[in-house]
Amino acid sequence: MMKAIVVTDQAAGRAGMKLVEHPEPQGAQLAGLSGANYGDVVVQVHASGFTWDELSWPSTWVDRLGRDRTPSIPGHELAGVVTALSYGTTGLSVGQRVFGLTDWTRDGTLAEYVAVEARNLAPLPGDVDFTVGASVVMPGLTAWQGLFDHGHLRAGQSILVHGAAGVVGSMVTQFAREAGAYVIGTGRAPGRQTALEFGAMEFIDLDKDTLEDVGAVDLVFDVLGGEIGKRSARLIRAGGTLVSIVGPPEARPADGLTVDFVVVPDRAQLSEVVQRVRDGRLRTNIGNVAALDDAVAAFNPTERVKGKTIIRVRP
Ligand SMILES: NC(=O)c1ccc[n+]([C@@H]2O[C@H](COP(=O)([O-])OP(=O)(O)OC[C@H]3O[C@@H](n4cnc5c(N)ncnc54)[C@H](OP(=O)(O)O)[C@@H]3O)[C@@H](O)[C@H]2O)c1
């Protein structure tokens, strides 16, 4: 058995998270049993990340065939060490440090061990701490995919990054600057300094400034949606793109594209992200680090936590 956080009651939300003893996923010789499949490795989790609205997604509650999968272990970002290999795993070995994003429809990473498809993981270099590794997985991949796979950002273009002081927005800001774009960040007044420190060249306080004053931009990276998303669509130049990570945009640019997407695992992109952490081009945005025993409290905070919450499963 292992320690894990589970959820069983969808209506209870994060308050329904419980720390329990749960069966460990098994490795190679038990492929297909106990939660490990062909292509899986078992990872001893050192650090785990959780996305705040995960418990509202169907994938937390049912598997790909729509069958109830409770009790379900949330958290799908991790850094840890491979402890077992199933059949069909390539590129990884027992004892290797790894990090990555696990399948939304399977048991996750708020646990001492997790079975993960090998292709969802990348090697974590020895000089990158597990906490840092886990913290860049989801925001790093989301930012990279939104900017380059979907937004096709190029040097010299201008980009409006909503929520630029937030977990995803701060990554988007850094990658966009490195790519040679002109970056305008948005958010609330307390986020101004943070956004500028992450590399935004201008900041729009959405409570006070007029969004339309930014003029035309080539790309909008929207983490807010709603009315802000709608108004942003009108700012996009001909041939530009509105990329949303909060569902389908309610408005389209007159002469441009809209894309909404959900982040997917990608080994090569994880390696790009971690290389930037190592050489100082990318800073992570961690707000709180807590032990697994304190994870339920960490995900039910009495005050808003800015930055990523990471659960350090092994000290
Ligand atoms: N599609 C995907 O694959 C994907 C992947 C990752 C995340 N997401 C989603 O993306 C969203 C953002 O995630 P995150 O982790 O970056 O959140 P976050 O860290 O809370 O960042 C949001 C930022 O936007 C600011 N903000 C929020 N509402 C605002 C408003 N009305 N006016 C001005 N500023 C506002 C926040 O400021 P304060 O801190 O002051 O509130 C914060 O700086 C979430 O809904 C998340 O579920 C989607």
Side-chain angles (χ1 to χ4, degrees):
M1 300 293 276
M2 63 173 181
K3 277 200 239 177
I5 302 290
V6 297
V7 289
T8 50
D9 176 1
Q10 191 162 5
R14 294 199 302 270
M17 291 174 137
K18 280 191 221 94
L19 180 66
V20 298
E21 290 287 319
H22 192 84
E24 264 180 39
Q26 303 292 317
Q29 68 280 30
L30 294 179
L33 297 177
S34 305
N37 294 326
Y38 184 85
D40 278 351
V41 299
V42 176
V43 179
Q44 181 181 50
V45 180
H46 284 241
S48 164
F50 166 81
T51 300
W52 291 98
D53 46 4
E54 231 175 82
L55 303 188
S56 64
W57 305 341
S59 52
T60 299
W61 307 99
V62 293
D63 66 14
R64 285 184 194 282
L65 296 174
R67 297 173 303 204
D68 180 9
R69 67 179 196 84
T70 57
S72 150
I73 302 175
H76 292 83
E77 302 143 59
L78 92 163
V81 174
V82 175
T83 56
L85 303 172
S86 181
Y87 304 113
T89 53
T90 51
L92 299 178
S93 53
V94 171
Q96 186 165 6
R97 300 171 99 246
V98 290
F99 73 129
L101 187 68
T102 73
D103 191 326
W104 302 110
T105 61
R106 295 178 62 187
D107 273 342
T109 62
L110 287 171
E112 290 179 291
Y113 294 89
V114 62
V116 192
E117 280 181 84
R119 63 182 175 171
N120 293 4
L121 301 170
L124 181 69
D127 57 356
V128 179
D129 181 71
F130 289 115
T131 300
V132 171
S135 75
V136 294
V137 168
M138 190 277 303
L141 289 176
T142 305
W144 190 278
Q145 289 164 20
L147 286 173
F148 306 121
D149 294 348
H150 303 295
H152 305 291
L153 182 72
R154 295 191 310 273
Q157 291 189 321
S158 56
I159 174 170
L160 181 64
V161 181
H162 287 310
V167 170
V168 176
S170 56
M171 289 276 165
V172 176
T173 299
Q174 293 176 88
F175 287 149
R177 271 302 294 275
E178 187 201 337
Y182 187 83
V183 181
I184 306 157
T186 81
R188 287 190 250 263
R192 175 185 297 272
Q193 195 52 36
T194 311
L196 296 176
E197 281 166 14
F198 276 112
M201 290 136 121
E202 288 179 38
F203 184 82
I204 300 288
D205 173 349
L206 291 172
D207 292 327
K208 229 175 64 207
D209 303 331
T210 306
L211 179 61
E212 285 68 20
D213 286 350
V214 304
V217 294
D218 297 294
L219 185 63
V220 172
F221 197 113
D222 189 14
V223 309
L224 303 175
E227 201 50 38
I228 297 293
K230 256 198 222 168
R231 285 166 59 195
S232 303
R234 293 185 215 122
L235 302 176
I236 291 174
R237 268 194 195 109
T241 307
L242 169 63
V243 171
S244 165
I245 61 166
V246 284
E250 291 173 36
R252 299 176 159 273
D255 188 12
L257 294 175
T258 58
V259 180
D260 83 282
F261 75 100
V262 174
V263 61
V264 291
D266 189 299
R267 183 181 284 179
Q269 290 174 357
L270 285 171
S271 298
E272 293 280 0
V273 171
V274 82
Q275 186 51 42
R276 285 165 172 73
V277 172
R278 293 181 82 193
D279 64 23
R281 278 178 289 169
L282 191 69
R283 270 196 303 130
T284 183
N285 189 354
I286 297 175
N288 186 26
V289 181
L292 188 59
D293 286 349
D294 304 323
V296 174
F299 291 126
N300 289 276
T302 48
E303 276 175 25
R304 169 132 171 63
V305 177
K306 291 190 195 297
K308 189 87 190 153
T309 293
I310 292 296
I311 302 305
R312 190 72 201 203
V313 177
R314 291 178 73 81

